[in-house]
Amino acid sequence: MSTENSSADVVIVGGGPAGRALATRCIARQLTVVVVDPHPHRVWTPTYSAWADELPSWLPDEVIASRIQRPNVWTDGQKTLDRAYCVLNTALLQSFLSSTFMQFRALRARTLSPTTVECVDGSQLTGSVVVDARGTDLTVTTAQQTAFGVIVDRALADPVLGDGEAWFMDWRRDNGTSDADAPSFLYAVPLDDERVLLEETCLVGRPALGLRELEARLRTRLHNRGCEVPDDAPVERVRFAVEGPRGSSPDGILRFGGRGGLMHPGTGYSVASSLAEADTVAKAIAGGGDPNAALWPRSARAVSALRRVGLNALLTLGSGEVATFFDTFFDLPIEAQRSYLSDRRDASATAKVMATLFRSSPWHVRKTLMRAPFLR
């Protein structure tokens, strides 16, 4: 058994999009990096998406597989959002975030300290900074997002897309459910010029809807819209925790990505924020500063707390109230939507949006929200 020890400026545990994004930006600042991951050559398969204005300037346009200028939502009716949305090319993203200057150790980490990683084979890696980027942990108590999707030819998806480019959220009940059932929505986006992902999604649940239930709902919905999916259509299965550690790490270990609280608990999005914050952390490390402080100023901690309030609100809403809640949300100006969905450092803007959303909601929704745990 090999127990080779090594050192680098930065040791990153976890070779997913967050870990490799940080590694890429550290290398751009002339830092040496070792990435510890038991399967460093595993091909990424999830679909990663982001609002176009969230993506950092250092990410090349070639990584964007499709750009939807004005996605649609259906809540109590159809709305069109004047905000561009992007689906990333997963293979190109992985290739771009896999620099030849990146050193990989194909091992599982056993213990971490702020400057040392001990691997299961007994070897130790030391660095000026150790980063934990292993993603969120699935437990029976954490809120989760689940989804089941199929990938079909563009022409086959036309009856589902209608006259729009994409469905960011479609809460219609043509998936075989009633107001008594836990809600799920259709997420339908072009992956490129030829293929479309059609996905039934449970936004958040504790517990979340099971994949078999979501598959049945999706097939019912697509059948009702005249879209018969071939038996050999590729599928996508999604399950992950939307809750991670809160704010900066009390043990001094720098956490990043979903592991570091960068996932939006009300949407499940984390890749864009990880890409955007990678430079902030890399700059702090290269300059000898405190990367935790750079990543988690007081304003960011306040936004994180407010987002957890939003998660509790979503978990409290009744099945028939969810679409009404989002109908109110998507009536807000785009800048207000952007403040809540994407800005993790402007606590006053986030609080203002949440207060406006509460005041603008119908009384029966407000009554439910007032019973949420965060208000007791």
Side-chain angles (χ1 to χ4, degrees):
M1 179 181 295
S2 171
T3 56
E4 179 184 354
N5 298 329
S6 62
S7 63
D9 294 322
V10 185
V11 179
I12 299 174
V13 182
R20 294 198 195 197
L22 179 55
T24 298
R25 300 318 294 162
C26 286
I27 290 170
R29 294 182 179 274
Q30 312 305 312
L31 296 168
T32 58
V33 178
V34 173
V35 177
V36 181
D37 189 290
H39 305 289
H41 304 299
R42 177 182 289 169
V43 175
W44 298 350
T45 57
T47 300
Y48 300 120
S49 304
W51 298 102
D53 52 36
E54 293 177 323
L55 298 175
S57 59
W58 55 265
L59 195 70
D61 288 342
E62 293 75 29
V63 171
I64 298 174
S66 68
R67 185 185 297 265
I68 300 102
Q69 293 295 70
R70 303 183 77 216
N72 286 330
V73 297
W74 187 290
T75 48
D76 289 343
Q78 182 172 324
K79 302 179 191 294
T80 300
L81 308 180
D82 193 18
R83 188 184 183 194
Y85 184 74
C86 295
V87 179
L88 304 182
N89 183 312
T90 302
L92 289 181
L93 178 67
Q94 183 173 10
S95 176
F96 178 75
L97 297 180
S98 301
S99 166
T100 55
F101 295 100
M102 218 174 281
Q103 303 175 57
F104 288 96
R105 295 293 299 273
L107 292 168
R108 190 176 302 278
R110 181 161 56 196
T111 60
L112 280 65
S113 79
T115 58
T116 304
V117 176
E118 182 181 340
C119 299
V120 292
D121 69 342
S123 62
Q124 283 194 344
L125 304 172
T126 59
S128 300
V129 175
V130 166
V131 183
D132 189 352
R134 291 177 291 182
T136 56
D137 291 325
L138 279 172
T139 72
V140 295
T141 60
T142 54
Q144 299 174 16
Q145 181 173 124
T146 52
F148 181 90
V150 293
I151 298 172
V152 301
D153 292 340
R154 188 86 180 223
L156 197 62
D158 280 347
V160 181
L161 294 176
D163 59 358
E165 298 178 81
W167 288 111
F168 180 68
M169 281 184 172
D170 183 345
W171 291 97
R172 279 177 282 187
R173 292 283 188 173
D174 59 350
N175 58 358
T177 64
S178 69
D179 282 351
D181 297 308
S184 59
F185 65 89
L186 175 69
Y187 174 74
V189 294
L191 300 178
D192 50 39
D193 292 336
E194 299 178 353
R195 302 174 304 144
V196 176
L197 172 65
L198 306 173
E199 198 160 74
E200 193 77 16
T201 304
C202 171
L203 180 62
V204 64
R206 193 189 285 133
L209 288 169
L211 297 183
R212 289 186 179 179
E213 171 66 17
L214 291 170
E215 179 181 4
R217 292 185 182 193
L218 177 65
R219 297 193 185 280
T220 298
R221 187 194 297 275
L222 298 184
H223 175 76
N224 286 336
R225 298 195 192 184
C227 176
E228 299 300 334
V229 179
D231 292 338
D232 61 350
V235 302
E236 177 172 271
R237 296 177 176 87
V238 177
R239 180 184 293 276
F240 59 86
V242 299
E243 296 177 285
R246 302 179 179 184
S248 57
S249 169
D251 56 15
I253 298 171
L254 174 62
R255 298 190 175 102
F256 191 70
R259 191 82 163 194
L262 293 186
M263 180 177 291
H264 195 306
T267 67
Y269 281 64
S270 68
V271 171
S273 58
S274 298
L275 292 169
E277 296 290 357
D279 246 349
T280 300
V281 174
K283 181 180 179 181
I285 295 173
D290 182 350
N292 258 319
L295 187 61
W296 289 103
R298 179 180 299 177
S299 57
R301 296 196 301 270
V303 169
S304 179
L306 288 168
R307 286 178 173 181
R308 293 197 301 274
V309 168
L311 171 64
N312 286 334
L314 286 174
L315 291 170
T316 301
L317 289 172
S319 177
E321 297 171 324
V322 175
T324 303
F325 177 85
F326 279 103
D327 188 65
T328 306
F329 178 81
F330 287 118
D331 270 343
L332 297 174
I334 286 294
E335 283 303 317
Q337 295 178 33
R338 182 183 291 111
S339 292
Y340 183 73
L341 294 175
S342 305
D343 193 333
R344 59 177 299 271
R345 282 184 168 81
D346 193 336
S348 61
T350 300
K352 181 179 179 181
V353 170
M354 294 175 70
T356 300
L357 185 58
F358 179 81
R359 291 194 302 268
S360 303
S361 294
W363 167 243
H364 67 96
V365 173
R366 281 184 282 161
K367 186 177 179 180
T368 300
L369 292 177
M370 286 189 289
R371 296 198 301 267
F374 62 87
L375 289 173
R376 290 210 293 264

